[in-house]
Amino acid sequence: FMDRIVNVGIIGCGGIAGGKHMPSLKKLPNVRMVAFCDIVLSKAERAKAAFGTADAAVYEDYRKLLEHVKNQKK
């Protein structure tokens, strides 16, 4: 498992995620944060800028993020 890259999508980019979860995930060498979702779009955009990959997706609706993941698996 540690030799594989794990792509992560974050749903909810507020205080706890921004102060605890995302900084911790960013420290892991095999984790890439590739999608961010928050009902306040600017929070998701800031999270992408601070923690995400250059091509990370940003969503306002968690269902769109999940649909994107579902389509990636096909």
Side-chain angles (χ1 to χ4, degrees):
F1 173 75
M2 294 305 290
D3 61 336
R4 294 190 335 203
I5 298 296
V6 178
N7 292 325
V8 175
I10 305 293
I11 298 174
C13 299
I16 294 171
K20 301 289 183 191
H21 302 305
M22 291 185 279
S24 296
L25 288 168
K26 187 171 182 165
K27 292 178 184 177
L28 299 173
N30 64 321
V31 171
R32 294 176 356 126
M33 285 177 271
V34 299
F36 299 86
C37 179
D38 199 281
I39 59 171
V40 178
L41 191 58
S42 62
K43 287 183 182 181
E45 291 168 343
R46 281 195 301 273
K48 174 189 173 180
F51 302 106
T53 60
D55 60 345
V58 175
Y59 299 93
E60 225 171 351
D61 183 339
Y62 76 93
R63 292 168 289 210
K64 301 244 187 232
L65 184 152
L66 296 175
E67 186 65 30
H68 179 88
V69 170
K70 183 178 171 184
N71 291 333
Q72 293 291 315
K73 291 184 178 185
K74 290 182 179 180

